[in-house]
Amino acid sequence: MPETSGAESADRYAALPSGMTICFRDHGDKDDPAMLLVAGLGEDLTFWSDSFVGSLVARGFRVVAIDNRDVGRSTFVAAPPPGLWRQIAGRPRGDAYALADMAQDAVGVLDHLGIARAHLVGRSMGGMIAQTVAATAPERTLSLTSIYSTTGARKVGQPALSTIRLLAAPPARNRTAAVRAHLRLTRHVAGTEHPIDDAAEAAVAARGWDRSAGEPAAGTARQIQAIQRSGDRTAQLSGITAPTLVVHGDRDPLVHPSGGAATARAIRSARHVVVPGMGHHIPESLVGLVTTYIAQHATRVGEGGNHVRIS
């Protein structure tokens, strides 16, 4: 494993039977209920801000954040990435992995840590992975929180055309370009009601580039085809029995709010929270609100839910 220093000295590694090595960080008291954080497309574990993690730890949770395969310091798969036109056409390569494989990685980290059951929290693609764990490993799931995610059905949760144009831009070739691209996309998906902190986001992007050894584009492309290979998971989600919270903003241009609504409909008794003005991002101004809903949900396991709109 690579040597680390400073903040990265917290990086730990789980070597899984599948051959994947998954990097993770473990925060809080080991005797507290475990909460697993699964980040989105192309995001490493540091995309969960210190304030976000710290808020959940302060509320009495042991928080484990992971690098998904093909990002950060976890294993980068050797298979070639799909080309842009293959991604646009939704035609994954024959050697593509699926969200189910990424869900097994997440469960493997729980196995490594000896955690029998955990509260699952995922955002965007991470929400899809957390949904898959809840559906396929219910015995490992205390609760599920799915943040600005979707079901995989083509008629819901689709990005705006303006967002597709940004996503189709050529990948960054160096750290400076990666930071600029991240700022451009994050400003767009976050919207105007909750503006981003440019300096903080630039640091996130630079750290993400460094932790992925300057090679994030191929990994992100393989993650995209994992989503595409997994297809419409609505039927699978209907079998989830864990208490579920679905959080989505009403200004999300990357995963249309219809994706959150469809997720809540698919999962029996899911509670659907719509946050006005929220896009596809959790800026500092929303950390307190979002972590409050997550913590309240996790501590009220077993209660029913419904659709609510937060003012």
Side-chain angles (χ1 to χ4, degrees):
M1 289 303 102
E3 294 183 2
T4 59
S5 60
E8 292 188 353
S9 63
D11 286 344
R12 297 171 58 189
Y13 300 88
L16 307 184
S18 63
M20 293 292 112
T21 295
I22 303 299
C23 179
F24 66 93
R25 293 185 185 177
D26 191 358
H27 311 265
D29 192 322
K30 305 300 184 289
D31 293 328
D32 285 340
M35 182 172 286
L36 183 70
L37 302 186
V38 190
L41 179 71
E43 296 179 342
D44 73 4
L45 59 81
T46 67
F47 276 62
W48 299 103
S49 68
D50 290 343
S51 60
F52 189 97
V53 173
S55 177
L56 293 170
V57 170
R59 293 172 186 270
F61 296 96
R62 174 188 183 181
V63 179
V64 179
I66 65 173
D67 283 338
N68 293 310
R69 63 171 66 185
D70 266 329
V71 75
R73 292 179 174 268
S74 289
T75 297
F76 274 64
V77 176
L84 177 60
W85 289 111
R86 185 179 283 274
Q87 294 176 54
I88 292 173
R91 297 177 55 220
R93 291 169 46 91
D95 55 5
Y97 55 81
L99 292 172
D101 300 300
M102 304 178 83
Q104 289 177 0
D105 294 344
V107 172
V109 174
L110 298 181
D111 290 340
H112 176 81
L113 291 171
I115 296 172
R117 302 180 75 194
H119 298 284
L120 309 176
V121 178
R123 68 189 196 193
S124 198
M125 181 190 72
M128 302 176 196
I129 296 169
Q131 293 165 9
T132 306
V133 174
T136 61
E139 74 283 358
R140 309 303 296 274
T141 307
L142 287 170
S143 72
L144 168 65
T145 300
S146 178
I147 305 171
Y148 46 66
S149 192
T150 187
T151 64
R154 291 192 175 186
K155 292 185 178 181
V156 299
Q158 294 302 313
L161 182 59
S162 57
T163 308
I164 293 174
R165 292 194 187 102
L166 285 177
L167 293 173
R173 298 299 182 186
N174 57 60
R175 194 174 192 257
T176 299
V179 170
R180 289 174 179 164
H182 174 80
L183 288 173
R184 184 167 57 249
L185 179 62
T186 306
R187 289 189 193 110
H188 172 77
V189 299
T192 58
E193 293 194 39
H194 294 279
I196 69 171
D197 179 329
D198 281 7
E201 288 299 326
V204 166
R207 186 167 56 241
W209 175 270
D210 293 342
R211 292 187 79 252
S212 293
E215 293 292 340
T220 299
R222 286 189 290 265
Q223 290 181 348
I224 289 172
Q225 73 174 356
I227 296 171
Q228 294 173 334
R229 180 182 171 187
S230 302
D232 184 350
R233 296 169 292 101
T234 303
Q236 183 186 61
L237 299 190
S238 69
I240 292 176
T241 56
T244 298
L245 172 66
V246 176
V247 179
H248 217 111
D250 66 354
R251 293 291 184 270
D252 190 335
L254 182 54
V255 177
H256 189 273
S258 59
T263 301
R265 287 195 302 269
I267 302 173
R268 185 166 51 251
S269 299
R271 183 184 181 214
H272 186 193
V273 174
V274 179
V275 182
M278 178 179 173
H280 199 83
H281 187 57
I282 307 175
E284 194 64 29
S285 59
L286 287 174
V287 165
L289 179 66
V290 174
T291 56
T292 294
Y293 282 113
I294 294 170
Q296 289 177 343
H297 172 64
T299 56
R300 294 173 181 171
V301 167
E303 291 188 3
N306 56 5
H307 182 287
V308 296
R309 184 178 180 87
I310 307 304
S311 298

